[in-house]
């Protein structure tokens, strides 16, 4: 019997990033909304068609988004802060104002906060709900519109919407009301949505509830049970439609029994990251309910081992009747590239090990059909050894001693030495690393890659840009400078391309947020450094100025977390291999006179297990030491910086302090500086630079706004420990807005240093 198949979500940016480029043109006024919508419609049709051709039984709709599905849900439910609707822009312009801010004739507003989406490199927009928010289905009703659009092409889809539990759990509340105060309104809205879909011909509605894989409190469990008990009753009374509860990114051990008793028609469980999903299933499964079994990894790009997947399915069949099993993806395929067919430069010997989104559709088909020839080919693939260990790397790993993780002298003594040596002013100003990558910068890099210009020409161009960047920073009067990173395409790919053990794709783009796409490298084998990677650029930059220029590196945990990792060895071993390679670069920079070295760990939290009981045994016990391994051997005079962005760090703030960096910069502006409370609570010793403005927006922050943020910081951070910087790197920003924003940043710092202003700060006791 051929099994049924399902997909939770499909990539949406386009094989050639069509949505990214169309959106950016729309922002600049180069194309109309109609042209943007045409591109979006073409991408939706492509995804539905590909899934239909692969015989997928349950194809999702409403998985498309111009920016983010959580933001889409906020607009669907009318949970849009008044400051955005007050701009009197068109609906789509209002939507984009909420996602990346607006500054123009209609007004000046910041974007909504952005955070990491569970354990992925995707970012979501955090909904904001006030006491005045009125929840109801929007007249535009994107879910219904896209279902009808799919039907017009002959595709019967499963409309998918973020579930009410996850939406209300992840939202922020600005007034006295809490999530519980909006339950009834959300229930009524989703029941109305289900009824409208049923009337349009939909057979299923899917509620995505990844929020159920966290550790849940008793009150959260009660909240979930009450919400869905009432919602299911309402839907049953108003609509003839089947209800799917879709979970992913882990298991639902805290509410599994309750889920089984609520009366869902379908339940989606993750059998890739859900460690206890199979054991939970063995406790029983409701009769006549479809199990959407997520067995194909939606987050990594390696081929599935059909034998192992079949073994899982055989265990499932012991509990659930075969006709009630739907074989699916573990999560949305949003987190992997479109297809290996776009990789013209990779050999077939390499590509045969990869399965991107479209290849995962084939895997679902093969397993569902129990295709004998496909199983035989898959068996041969996994019986052959893919890579061999590198003896030098293995020897280096075995030789790591406990002392290699400990930096001497201790932090307080290093801090005193560095202050005396550097003699920086109070509230030193700096940037996070990159400066705007203009069209000519990208063209120069592309020309060198294609071989149309010589290495000498490439280097000469970049040195000219570095010199200009240093001169600009001196003119702006920044205190600690950067070289601008004009030679770098990506903070991970740049390093991976110079490390043995990595391979790179041509067009394997994955959405990180909005219009931001990344092309993660692939950890293919044991990792080691071939030669110095950044020293030449850093030394050249330092020669252009008497001010300190930071050396800029990416840390081992971020390099790993923003790569597609191996599945044949542990993440810990891969991280330590990368750490040893980056340590060589750190020591090379120090030997060549670089006094401040920034080792970015932007993605430190990204792979932190969702359940606190697993934090140390599965992650922090090797992630924090991997960072320390990189810098522990530098001299006390060398100052180590690191940077982290767009994650919630408050609950691991002690572990971040234990990284033993000298300075850490955080994303903070979109998060409303909430991390400052955590810093103060644990008496954070590391010097800090909470970002004072959002670099993901073209909006230029006024001086008064930055100064106000700095005053708030001084309520929580001692003045000797406060640095002033933007949220993140400036690569994606325009040159003019960057200059004005940094000019305002420096001016705000100088105003803060002025005695009269500092004395007026309410928290001047710091």
């Amino acid at each position: 019997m051929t099994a049924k198949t399902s997909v939770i979500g499909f990539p949406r940016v386009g094989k050639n990033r069509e949505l990214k480029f169309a959106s950016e043109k729309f922002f600049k006024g180069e194309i109309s909304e109609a042209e943007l919508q045409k591109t979006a419609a073409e991408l939706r049709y492509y995804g539905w068609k590909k899934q239909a051709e692969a015989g997928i039984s349950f194809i999702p709709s409403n998985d498309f988004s111009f920016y983010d599905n959580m933001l889409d849900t906020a607009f669907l439910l009318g949970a849009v802060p008044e400051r955005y609707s007050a701009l009197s822009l068109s609906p789509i312009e209002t939507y984009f104002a909420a996602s990346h801010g607006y500054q123009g004739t209609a007004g000046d507003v910041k974007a909504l906060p952005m955070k990491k989406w569970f354990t992925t490199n995707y970012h979501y927009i955090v909904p904001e709900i006030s006491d005045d928010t009125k929840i109801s289905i929007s007249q535009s009703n994107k879910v219904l519109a896209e279902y009808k659009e799919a039907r017009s092409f002959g595709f019967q889809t499963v409309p998918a919407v973020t579930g009410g539990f996850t939406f209300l759990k992840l939202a922020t509340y600005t007034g006295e009301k809490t999530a519980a105060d909006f339950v009834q309104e959300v229930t009524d809205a989703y029941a109305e949505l289900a009824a409208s879909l049923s009337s349009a011909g939909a057979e299923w509605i899917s509620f995505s509830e990844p929020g159920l894989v966290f550790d849940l409190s008793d009150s959260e469990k009660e909240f979930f049970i009450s919400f869905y008990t009432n919602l299911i009753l309402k839907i049953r009374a108003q609509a003839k439609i089947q209800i799917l509860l879709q979970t992913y990114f882990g298991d639902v051990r805290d509410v599994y029994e309750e889920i089984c008793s609520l009366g869902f028609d379908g339940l989606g469980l993750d059998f890739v990251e859900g460690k206890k999903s199979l054991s939970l299933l063995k406790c029983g499964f409701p009769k006549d309910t479809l199990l959407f079994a997520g067995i194909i990894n939606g987050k990594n790009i390696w081929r599935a081992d059909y034998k192992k997947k079949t073994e899982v399915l055989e265990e499932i069949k012991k509990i659930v009747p075969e006709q009630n099993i739907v074989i699916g993806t573990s999560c949305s395929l949003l987190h992997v590239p479109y297809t290996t067919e776009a990789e013209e430069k990779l050999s077939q010997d390499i590509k045969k090990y990869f399965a991107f989104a479209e290849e995962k559709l084939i895997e679902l088909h093969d397993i569902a059909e129990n295709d004998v020839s496909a199983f035989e080919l898959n068996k041969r693939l996994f019986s052959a050894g893919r890579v061999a260990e590198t003896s030098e790397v293995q020897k280096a790993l075995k030789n790591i001693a406990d002392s290699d993780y400990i930096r001497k002298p201790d932090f307080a003594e290093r801090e005193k030495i560095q202050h005396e040596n550097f003699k920086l002013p109070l509230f030193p100003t700096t940037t996070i690393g990159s400066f705007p990558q203009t069209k000519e910068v990208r063209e120069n890099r592309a020309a060198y890659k294609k071989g149309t210009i010589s290495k000498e020409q490439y280097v000469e161009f970049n040195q000219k840009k570095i010199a200009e960047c240093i001169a600009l920073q001196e003119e702006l009067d920044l205190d600690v400078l950067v070289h601008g990173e004009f030679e770098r395409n990506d903070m991970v790919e740049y390093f991976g391309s110079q490390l043995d053990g990595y391979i790179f794709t041509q067009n394997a783009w994955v959405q990180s947020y909005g219009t931001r796409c990344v092309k993660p490298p692939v950890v293919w084998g044991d990792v080691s450094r071939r030669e110095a990677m950044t020293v030449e650029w850093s030394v050249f930059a330092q020669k252009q100025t008497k001010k300190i220029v930071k050396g800029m590196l990416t840390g081992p945990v971020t390099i790993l977390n923003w790569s597609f990792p191996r599945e044949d060895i542990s993440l810990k071993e891969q991280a330590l291999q990368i750490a040893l390679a980056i340590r060589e670069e750190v020591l090379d920079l120090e030997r060549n006179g670089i006094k401040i070295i920034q080792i970015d760990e932007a993605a430190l939290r990204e792979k932190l297990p969702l359940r606190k009981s697993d934090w140390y045994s599965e992650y922090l016990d090797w992630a924090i030491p991997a960072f320390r391994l990189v810098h522990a051997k530098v001299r006390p005079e060398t100052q180590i910086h690191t940077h982290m962005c767009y994650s919630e760090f408050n609950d691991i703030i002690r572990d971040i302090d234990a990284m033993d960096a000298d300075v850490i910069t955080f994303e903070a502006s979109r998060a409303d500086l909430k991390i400052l409370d955590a810093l103060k609570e644990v008496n954070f010793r590391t010097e800090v630079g909470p970002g004072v403005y959002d670099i993901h927006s073209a909006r230029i922050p006024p001086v008064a706004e930055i100064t106000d943020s700095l005053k708030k910081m001084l309520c929580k951070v001692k003045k000797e420990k406060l640095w002033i910087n933007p949220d993140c790197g400036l690569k994606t920003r325009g040159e003019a807005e960057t200059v004005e924003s940094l000019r305002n940043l420096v001016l705000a710092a100088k105003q803060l240093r002025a005695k009269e202003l500092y004395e007026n700060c309410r928290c001047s006791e710091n």
Side-chain angles (χ1 to χ4, degrees):
M1 183 182 81
T2 300
K4 294 178 181 178
T5 53
S6 71
V7 170
I8 294 175
F10 198 73
R12 60 199 184 210
V13 294
K15 286 198 298 184
N16 297 304
R17 293 176 291 163
E18 293 91 339
L19 185 62
K20 165 187 171 66
F21 298 125
S23 297
E24 290 174 347
K25 286 180 180 178
F26 176 72
F27 300 156
K28 296 174 184 176
E30 296 175 1
I31 63 171
S32 66
E33 180 181 340
E35 291 173 291
L36 176 61
Q37 294 286 5
K38 180 175 180 292
T39 298
E42 290 170 350
L43 294 173
R44 288 191 292 269
Y45 174 76
Y46 180 89
W48 293 327
K49 182 172 180 288
K50 281 292 178 183
Q51 291 171 83
E53 289 173 347
I56 302 301
S57 314
F58 295 87
I59 299 171
S61 58
N62 194 48
D63 53 336
F64 174 85
S65 179
F66 279 108
Y67 205 93
D68 169 57
N69 288 121
M70 280 289 283
L71 182 63
D72 292 351
T73 307
F75 272 74
L76 171 73
L77 297 176
V80 182
E82 193 273 337
R83 62 185 178 276
Y84 300 111
S85 53
L87 294 171
S88 298
L89 301 170
S90 70
I92 196 165
E93 288 173 326
T94 304
Y95 174 88
F96 283 127
S99 63
H100 57 67
Y102 177 87
Q103 191 172 48
T105 55
D108 184 355
V109 292
K110 290 183 179 181
L112 286 168
M114 185 191 296
K115 290 182 181 176
K116 295 279 188 182
W117 181 244
F118 293 80
T119 52
T120 73
N121 184 31
Y122 179 74
H123 306 65
Y124 73 98
I125 298 294
V126 183
E128 179 186 300
I129 299 177
S130 70
D131 289 351
D132 298 327
T133 300
K134 302 296 180 186
I135 301 291
S136 63
I137 293 296
S138 165
Q139 289 184 345
S140 59
N141 197 337
K142 174 180 178 290
V143 185
L144 179 61
E146 292 186 11
Y147 172 76
K148 288 182 174 180
E149 181 184 350
R151 281 301 299 270
S152 72
F153 293 119
F155 304 118
Q156 177 63 276
T157 62
V158 177
V161 63
T162 303
F165 175 80
T166 297
F167 179 78
L168 292 172
K169 177 179 172 63
L170 298 184
T172 57
Y173 299 85
T174 60
E176 298 296 320
K177 291 183 178 179
T178 64
D181 296 299
F182 297 93
V183 169
Q184 190 58 54
E185 289 181 13
V186 174
T187 302
D188 292 343
Y190 276 176
E192 178 189 336
L193 175 65
S196 66
L197 289 166
S198 178
S199 297
E203 299 171 357
W204 286 83
I205 182 170
S206 173
F207 294 107
S208 297
E209 290 288 10
L212 295 175
V213 306
F214 285 115
D215 290 314
L216 300 181
S217 65
D218 289 341
S219 61
E220 286 176 321
K221 288 186 241 181
E222 290 172 11
F223 180 100
F224 164 75
I225 295 164
S226 174
F227 175 76
Y228 274 101
T229 298
N230 293 327
L231 178 58
I232 291 171
L233 284 173
K234 262 188 168 293
I235 291 176
R236 300 292 189 221
Q238 298 178 20
K240 188 178 180 181
I241 193 169
Q242 297 184 87
I243 306 168
L244 167 62
L245 182 76
Q246 182 66 65
T247 69
Y248 41 88
F249 298 142
D251 61 64
V252 292
R253 68 188 76 165
D254 292 342
V255 286
Y256 178 75
E257 185 177 341
E258 292 80 1
I259 288 172
C260 290
S261 67
L262 282 170
F264 290 103
D265 300 292
L267 172 58
L269 299 179
D270 181 350
F271 290 89
V272 174
E273 291 190 281
K275 292 190 299 183
K276 294 196 174 183
S277 291
L278 191 57
S279 60
L280 290 171
L281 198 65
K282 291 177 180 178
C283 296
F285 192 76
K287 185 181 178 183
D288 300 325
T289 299
L290 294 189
L291 171 64
F292 289 72
I295 65 168
I296 296 297
N297 193 337
K299 285 171 60 177
N300 212 342
I301 46 80
W302 299 99
R303 284 276 181 190
D305 185 334
Y306 289 178
K307 181 176 181 292
K308 289 182 179 179
K309 300 303 177 185
T310 302
E311 288 170 354
V312 174
L313 283 173
E314 289 304 316
E315 290 297 310
I316 292 172
K317 289 175 185 176
K318 292 177 182 178
I319 304 117
V320 182
E322 189 171 355
Q323 66 271 19
N324 288 353
I325 299 172
V326 181
I327 302 170
T329 57
S330 65
C331 63
S332 173
L333 299 180
L334 168 70
H335 310 294
V336 295
Y338 270 81
T339 176
T340 61
E341 289 182 3
E343 302 307 317
E344 298 169 349
K345 294 184 179 179
L346 288 179
S347 71
Q348 187 56 39
D349 284 341
I350 290 175
K351 285 201 293 184
K352 67 184 180 183
Y353 288 99
F354 296 156
F356 297 172
E358 293 179 23
E359 287 73 38
K360 290 181 188 294
L361 301 180
I362 297 170
E363 291 184 328
L364 286 170
H365 178 271
D366 288 346
I367 296 172
E369 292 280 351
N370 197 22
D371 187 310
V372 175
S373 61
F375 269 71
E376 182 57 34
L377 285 172
N378 188 266
K379 180 181 178 181
R380 287 185 218 158
L381 182 71
F382 280 88
S383 62
R386 187 176 60 78
V387 293
E389 290 183 345
T390 305
S391 58
E392 293 82 1
V393 173
Q394 294 301 314
K395 182 179 178 182
L397 287 173
K398 290 176 183 176
N399 287 338
I400 295 174
D402 290 346
S403 59
D404 290 325
Y405 298 106
I406 301 170
R407 189 174 175 199
K408 295 180 180 180
D410 65 18
F411 175 84
E413 189 173 342
R414 298 198 312 264
E415 186 177 38
K416 182 180 178 182
I417 291 169
Q418 291 162 12
H419 282 194
E420 290 174 352
N421 284 1
F422 295 160
K423 294 182 172 54
L424 294 170
L426 263 184
F427 320 122
T429 57
T430 189
T431 65
I432 303 305
S434 59
F435 264 65
Q437 297 245 331
T438 61
K439 182 180 178 182
E440 62 173 350
V441 169
R442 295 193 300 272
E443 287 176 344
N444 177 64
R445 192 164 54 239
Y448 177 56
K449 210 170 182 180
K450 292 176 183 175
T452 56
I453 62 172
S454 66
K455 182 177 180 180
E456 290 72 22
Q457 290 173 302
Y458 170 74
V459 170
E460 183 181 358
F461 174 90
N462 282 334
Q463 287 182 340
K464 179 173 177 289
K465 295 299 295 183
I466 291 170
E468 291 172 355
C469 185
I470 295 294
L472 171 62
Q473 292 172 85
E474 287 189 318
E475 188 268 319
L476 291 169
D477 204 19
L478 286 159
D479 298 308
V480 175
L481 314 186
V482 297
H483 78 281
E485 302 181 16
F486 303 106
E487 78 284 3
R488 302 184 191 184
N489 47 1
D490 176 86
M491 65 182 291
V492 172
E493 184 174 350
Y494 176 77
F495 290 97
S497 64
Q498 300 179 80
L499 295 171
D500 286 334
Y502 265 92
I503 61 172
F504 293 85
T505 60
Q506 209 177 339
N507 293 297
W509 296 100
V510 177
Q511 185 180 23
S512 179
Y513 61 84
T515 60
R516 169 71 169 156
C517 297
V518 295
K519 192 152 55 74
V522 180
V523 187
W524 179 263
D526 285 352
V527 176
S528 60
R529 190 186 76 146
R530 290 192 295 273
E531 58 187 2
M533 301 178 284
T534 66
V535 174
E536 178 184 351
W537 303 113
S538 293
V539 169
F540 176 83
Q542 186 60 77
K543 288 180 179 178
Q544 311 306 306
T545 180
K546 292 182 179 178
K547 290 188 173 184
I548 298 173
V549 179
K550 292 190 285 188
M552 302 300 304
L553 304 173
T554 304
V557 180
T558 294
I559 290 178
L560 179 60
N561 285 349
W562 283 355
S563 302
F564 289 119
R566 294 168 64 176
E567 293 183 338
D568 58 325
I569 64 172
S570 69
L571 292 175
K572 175 182 178 179
E573 182 174 342
Q574 293 173 75
L576 292 178
Q577 289 181 13
I578 299 169
L580 289 171
I582 301 300
R583 182 174 73 175
E584 293 179 24
E585 189 72 14
V586 168
L587 296 176
D588 261 356
L589 285 168
E590 184 182 62
R591 279 191 289 269
N592 281 275
I594 304 303
K595 299 176 182 177
I596 296 180
I597 303 170
Q598 183 169 309
I599 309 164
D600 288 336
E601 285 292 16
L604 176 74
R605 171 135 194 171
E606 193 159 296
K607 293 294 186 292
L608 185 73
L610 299 175
R611 294 184 180 274
K612 291 185 178 181
S613 58
D614 298 330
W615 280 7
Y616 292 94
S617 61
E618 294 186 7
Y619 187 70
L620 290 174
D621 276 357
W622 58 259
I624 301 301
F627 181 84
R628 294 176 67 123
L629 181 63
V630 168
H631 71 82
K633 296 303 181 184
V634 300
R635 298 190 297 266
E637 296 84 2
T638 300
Q639 190 173 77
I640 298 296
H641 289 219
T642 190
H643 172 70
M644 298 177 186
C645 59
Y646 294 103
S647 283
E648 295 180 84
F649 294 111
N650 298 18
D651 49 5
I652 59 166
I653 208 71
R654 293 181 190 277
D655 300 285
I656 291 171
D657 214 10
M659 293 167 71
D660 205 20
D662 299 304
V663 179
I664 181 167
T665 53
F666 287 103
E667 175 277 324
S669 67
R670 280 201 179 192
D672 211 17
L673 302 176
K674 291 178 182 177
I675 196 169
L676 298 176
D677 292 324
L679 297 176
K680 186 173 184 180
E681 184 180 338
V682 303
N683 195 25
F684 199 72
R685 64 176 183 175
T686 312
E687 296 183 18
V688 295
V692 297
Y693 77 88
D694 176 21
I695 65 86
H696 296 86
S697 171
R699 181 178 173 275
I700 298 170
V703 174
E705 180 179 296
I706 298 175
T707 304
D708 184 58
S709 293
L710 293 172
K711 289 180 181 179
K712 292 177 182 177
M713 292 176 190
L714 284 170
C715 293
K716 313 289 183 181
V717 180
K718 292 181 180 180
K719 63 180 185 291
E720 297 85 4
K721 289 183 177 287
L722 182 62
W723 287 65
I724 301 177
N725 45 262
D727 260 353
C728 202
L730 303 166
K731 179 171 71 172
T732 60
R733 298 272 47 93
E735 290 182 298
E737 73 200 49
T738 293
V739 171
E740 290 309 306
S741 296
L742 291 178
R743 199 179 301 281
N744 289 353
L745 180 150
V746 172
L747 184 56
K750 290 181 176 180
Q751 287 184 4
L752 195 66
R753 290 170 191 153
K755 184 178 180 182
E756 61 274 14
L757 178 59
Y758 186 70
E759 288 180 345
N760 288 335
C761 176
R762 291 181 183 178
C763 301
S764 59
E765 70 269 15
N766 280 336

